[in-house]
Amino acid sequence: MATWKDLQLHLQTGKTVEQAERTLLEAEKRRWGDVLTHLISITQSLAERNLAFRGSSNTLHQQNNGNFLKEVELLAKFDRVMKQHIERVESGQFSHSSYLGNIIQNELVASISGKLMDTVATEIKQSKYYSVILDCTPDVSHQEQMSVIIRTVKMDKAPEIKEHFMGFLVTSETTGLGLSSLILKKLMELNIPFDDCRGQSYDNGANMKGRNKGVQARLLEKNPRALYVPCGAHSLNLVVSDAATASTDATSYFGNV
């Protein structure tokens, strides 16, 4: 009877072992939530400034451990949450990830990127009509990639022209068929209807502007309202390049004379 009465009292006052464990669990959840909030803020800060995350070392308080861990160390000097987290990491209290390694860094970047892309896609669909701007270039590893930009007019208090960079697409083949299929697949993944496209713009390459098998021709077959406009920046580059070549040739010729 005494044990039963004792349990009844603890249940009424919320002092059972289960309640105590639940309180500790909730406190631990809040702590990890605070840690992740800080790490996400660091990730956003580095990404906005296009700074590299990692160095040659993945250990705290090392000379070349990269910008991410250096930001964590700096924040720990003034912030209680990060200071306690680093103390627990260094004391070896974790039997699992401390959320400071390169894997979690990549996951944070991917999560933020996915959320941002969803927000941009929603804004594009709200504007309804859009144009696509494409360009292909190899990266340092000689892998051909296509940059995708979507241009919209946001109808707010005053119309605002906006351009959204949607990322790089790795291209396995640079034919008109391959590139057009790639961009259509990307729009489908973003749930952006290609029927609402009203313009397409890219360089003067045959695989892009070709009237029969180029990207513009294949996209026009899908949507006759997606009118093609040559990229002004590329045309200007060609003019400047030709002018510079002509100037060099003329200088060489008259110099010889």
Side-chain angles (χ1 to χ4, degrees):
M1 178 62 72
T3 303
W4 180 79
K5 284 292 185 181
D6 189 46
L7 174 61
Q8 186 181 39
L9 178 62
H10 287 169
L11 287 172
Q12 291 173 351
T13 57
K15 295 182 178 180
T16 61
V17 174
E18 180 183 357
Q19 186 63 36
E21 290 294 328
R22 185 177 297 278
T23 301
L24 292 174
L25 178 61
E26 291 298 326
E28 188 72 1
K29 286 171 61 178
R30 286 195 299 271
R31 191 187 69 79
W32 277 111
D34 291 339
V35 170
L36 281 174
T37 299
H38 286 64
L39 297 182
I40 289 172
S41 297
I42 292 174
T43 301
Q44 289 177 310
S45 176
L46 295 177
E48 288 171 359
R49 291 175 287 160
N50 292 322
L51 295 176
F53 278 58
R54 295 188 286 276
S56 56
S57 172
N58 291 322
T59 307
L60 287 167
H61 307 299
Q62 294 295 319
Q63 184 66 29
N64 300 315
N65 59 3
N67 292 315
F68 184 86
L69 292 181
K70 287 299 181 187
E71 292 278 344
V72 171
E73 294 169 8
L74 176 62
L75 204 58
K77 293 181 179 180
F78 310 98
D79 182 80
R80 179 179 56 83
V81 172
M82 291 310 300
K83 180 180 179 180
Q84 291 179 351
H85 185 64
I86 287 183
E87 289 175 350
R88 295 182 69 177
V89 171
E90 293 178 335
S91 64
Q93 294 185 28
F94 294 120
S95 59
H96 52 80
S97 175
S98 63
Y99 287 0
L100 299 180
N102 56 350
I103 295 178
I104 190 62
Q105 293 172 31
N106 292 340
E107 290 180 351
L108 289 175
V109 171
S111 297
I112 295 172
S113 174
K115 184 63 177 178
L116 180 62
M117 196 65 69
D118 291 341
T119 302
V120 170
T122 299
E123 184 175 317
I124 292 172
K125 285 182 283 188
Q126 288 175 347
S127 300
K128 190 171 177 62
Y129 301 115
Y130 64 91
S131 297
V132 293
I133 304 173
L134 310 176
D135 192 17
C136 291
T137 184
D139 60 12
V140 292
S141 64
H142 306 291
Q143 175 67 62
E144 192 76 16
Q145 3 177 55
M146 179 168 65
S147 58
V148 180
I149 296 175
I150 294 183
R151 185 181 177 96
T152 64
V153 177
K154 185 178 181 181
M155 301 302 295
D156 206 349
K157 295 180 180 179
E160 180 184 1
I161 297 175
K162 303 192 72 173
E163 289 186 351
H164 304 281
F165 175 63
M166 310 304 290
F168 292 106
L169 303 180
V170 177
T171 59
S172 56
E173 56 176 309
T174 57
T175 62
L177 176 60
L179 295 176
S180 59
S181 299
L182 198 60
I183 182 61
L184 289 174
K185 180 181 178 182
K186 180 64 175 179
L187 292 174
M188 186 179 298
E189 290 175 353
L190 296 171
N191 198 25
I192 298 175
F194 183 64
D195 290 341
D196 293 334
C197 182
R198 291 297 180 267
Q200 44 178 321
S201 178
Y202 17 82
D203 60 29
N204 296 311
N207 62 336
M208 302 298 285
K209 75 165 188 176
R211 293 175 178 264
N212 297 318
K213 297 183 179 181
V215 175
Q216 70 126 341
R218 295 184 182 277
L219 293 185
L220 281 172
E221 289 179 0
K222 299 284 186 181
N223 180 3
R225 295 186 178 184
L227 302 179
Y228 168 67
V229 178
C231 179
H234 282 88
S235 299
L236 178 61
N237 288 340
L238 292 174
V239 171
V240 172
S241 177
D242 291 343
T245 302
S247 175
T248 302
D249 293 343
T251 301
S252 177
Y253 174 76
F254 287 111
N256 291 334
V257 172

